Amino acid sequence: MNLKNIRVVYNKERMDMLRDRRTVFNMLLFPLIMFPIISIGFNRMENMFREKAKKEAAQIMVLGAAHAPELDARLRASGKFEILPLAADFKQQISDKTLRAAVEFSPGFEQALHASGGAAPTLTLYFYRTELRSELAVRGLEELIGKYRTEIVQGRVVSQGMSAASLTPVLTKEQNVASAEKVSGVRMGAI
């Protein structure tokens, strides 16, 4: 078989393939149209589910609430959480995804918190790492506990006669130097 015959067969097959509209559509247009639509659609659907989950009050359980009445009251007053009654199988409920998270205060939590020079009290957060609603509940708990922690530290600093501003010796600012076109180009490239 010589090269001329191969070229004739190749040109004939190419012509047949391009004549068939379904083949051209499936080869060129379908991927160019459908893949971006599918990618954007799944992204929007994920964002919609995430926003819906953020708006829901997370069902949590508070263990050892008597050890931290002030923080327990803040959790109940926040409106972000629905506090369920205590149950011994709370870990199983989290695994079954009927309970989003649980927070456990160590014995003597608040006394240790207000005592000077003692060991820091601990609290334990129980959650299901790969479940979105459970992770959102823990992020909400961490945010509320972080604010409480900051207030305690600021109160300690002020009681020592120092300024609360001494807790943040350096302020950080962020400024984007990339143009809007470059930022959108990178985002579109990721899609």
Side-chain angles (χ1 to χ4, degrees), residues 31 52 62 83 91 105 137 144 163-164 178:
K52 181 181 175 190
V62 180
I83 312 293
K91 290 181 183 177
F105 298 107
L144 191 133
S163 167

Side-chain angles (χ1 to χ4, degrees), residues 17-169:
M17 190 170 58
L18 292 177
R19 246 188 255 148
D20 185 13
R21 288 190 180 112
R22 281 185 297 175
T23 304
V24 172
F25 178 76
N26 288 333
M27 208 169 53
L28 299 174
L29 297 177
F30 185 76
L32 290 174
I33 294 170
M34 290 308 290
F35 289 149
I37 289 173
I38 291 170
S39 298
I40 292 169
F42 280 129
N43 190 15
R44 287 201 179 166
M45 208 165 58
E46 178 192 4
N47 288 339
M48 182 180 69
F49 287 136
R50 185 176 296 273
E51 289 302 316
K52 181 181 175 190
K54 282 182 182 179
K55 290 177 184 176
E56 293 176 0
Q59 295 179 332
I60 66 167
M61 198 172 288
V62 180
L63 307 158
H67 303 298
E70 187 179 339
L71 195 49
D72 179 50
R74 287 182 185 221
L75 285 171
R76 292 178 190 279
S78 72
K80 293 182 178 181
F81 307 105
E82 179 185 341
I83 312 293
L84 298 181
L86 294 177
D89 66 337
F90 69 94
K91 290 181 183 177
Q92 185 60 44
Q93 288 183 28
I94 294 172
S95 291
D96 294 341
K97 300 177 187 171
T98 57
L99 179 67
R100 301 297 173 221
V103 58
E104 180 179 24
F105 298 107
S106 62
F109 181 88
E110 204 157 297
Q111 290 82 12
L113 188 66
H114 295 299
S116 60
T122 60
L123 61 87
T124 306
L125 298 174
Y126 299 94
F127 69 107
Y128 196 107
R129 183 166 303 279
T130 58
E131 208 267 317
L132 173 68
R133 289 184 173 106
S134 184
E135 288 182 358
L136 289 174
V138 166
R139 297 305 156 246
L141 284 167
E142 287 174 340
E143 180 183 326
L144 191 133
I145 292 166
K147 288 178 184 177
Y148 181 71
R149 181 184 302 131
T150 301
E151 289 176 14
I152 294 292
V153 171
Q154 286 176 345
R156 287 179 181 175
V157 167
V158 169
S159 70
Q160 296 292 325
M162 297 172 61
S163 167
S166 62
L167 292 174
T168 53

